[in-house]
Amino acid sequence: MLTQIIHYFQNDSGQYWQCVWQHVYLSLITLAIALVIALPLGYLGSRVKPVAAFCTAFAQGLRIIPSLALLFLLIPFIGTGMLPAIIALVVLALPPLLINTILGFNEVSPLYKEVGTALGMDLRQLRRQIEIPLALPYILNGVKLALVEIIASATLATYIGAGGLGTLIFTGLGLYDMSYVVIGGVSVALLSLLSMAGFDLLIRRVRQHDKASYSI
């Protein structure tokens, strides 16, 4: 198998990098759209209890929907290709983003807000200089979880013509050639691990900065 893998990269490296680019592009576009939806809604949920209850119930409901089932449910309405894949992946990315955004803002200690108010900060300054920085580690953790979910689930988007590394996996399964499956599967795993490691490092640095800046 190792010989087959080396032979593939010698002869079809262009195809491989095209699949990687498609996978990364699909994942980043999905994450950006999910963030635009989840961050304002999560912030609102941290302020309004009925919104928080709705977001929590909505997120829990989405978690029970299988990725592949959601992809196929969209086909009769939107067809195949990139658009239904993005919609399905956005839906799958929303739960960790919503839950962690609400949690992050709820975990900001009232003591910091009181100190900021005593210093003459208005609501906008409190939000920008205190609430968002202190909630950021939780939000970033939600982004990390969402991105890993997107990267893994984007593999199934090949079924509806969205491309990506799933193309290699399903090609290998169809041809009974495990070298394709290994290349695609290991690449997806590496993307997930790199995303997790990068966000873990970022979260650690943000928390260290918060401790230095907001120690009372």
Side-chain angles (χ1 to χ4, degrees):
M1 183 184 295
L2 181 59
T3 303
Q4 291 175 301
I5 292 173
I6 294 173
H7 182 266
Y8 172 81
F9 280 107
Q10 288 176 337
N11 294 278
D12 296 307
S13 60
Q15 181 197 46
Y16 172 77
W17 290 113
Q18 182 181 10
C19 290
V20 172
W21 164 245
Q22 288 174 344
H23 206 97
V24 171
Y25 176 78
L26 179 61
S27 298
L28 293 180
I29 289 293
T30 299
L31 181 63
I33 295 172
L35 285 171
V36 169
I37 297 171
L39 294 184
L41 192 57
Y43 178 78
L44 182 61
S46 69
R47 294 293 178 270
V48 184
K49 288 186 177 180
V51 176
F54 169 78
C55 289
T56 302
F58 178 68
Q60 295 297 335
L62 291 178
R63 283 177 172 171
I64 67 175
I65 302 175
S67 307
L68 190 58
L70 187 58
L71 286 168
F72 281 117
L73 283 173
L74 291 171
I75 291 177
F77 303 99
I78 310 177
T80 60
M82 186 74 74
L83 180 59
I86 289 175
I87 294 174
L89 292 173
V90 166
V91 171
L92 293 171
L94 287 177
L97 290 173
L98 285 172
I99 296 300
N100 281 274
T101 300
I102 294 172
L103 177 63
F105 283 108
N106 284 339
E107 287 294 314
V108 177
S109 173
L111 178 61
Y112 294 108
K113 299 178 186 179
E114 292 174 6
V115 172
T117 302
L119 293 173
M121 293 183 181
D122 56 25
L123 291 177
R124 181 176 298 178
Q125 290 172 320
L126 285 173
R127 182 170 59 248
R128 186 177 66 251
Q129 298 181 32
I130 294 179
E131 290 183 314
I132 292 177
L134 290 174
L136 190 57
Y138 296 91
I139 296 172
L140 289 174
N141 189 56
V143 175
K144 178 187 73 174
L145 296 174
L147 184 56
V148 171
E149 175 74 24
I150 291 168
I151 291 172
S153 299
T155 306
L156 300 174
T158 299
Y159 264 124
I160 58 174
L165 289 166
T167 303
L168 297 177
I169 296 174
F170 294 118
T171 298
L173 292 174
L175 298 174
Y176 299 100
D177 187 342
M178 291 306 296
S179 63
Y180 282 89
V181 177
V182 170
I183 292 169
V186 170
S187 298
V188 172
L190 284 175
L191 285 177
S192 298
L193 289 173
L194 287 173
S195 300
M196 290 181 64
F199 272 99
D200 283 340
L201 178 61
L202 181 58
I203 291 168
R204 195 177 304 116
R205 290 187 175 180
V206 169
R207 283 180 172 158
Q208 290 173 350
H209 179 268
D210 287 347
K211 287 180 181 179
S213 301
Y214 299 96
S215 56
I216 295 178

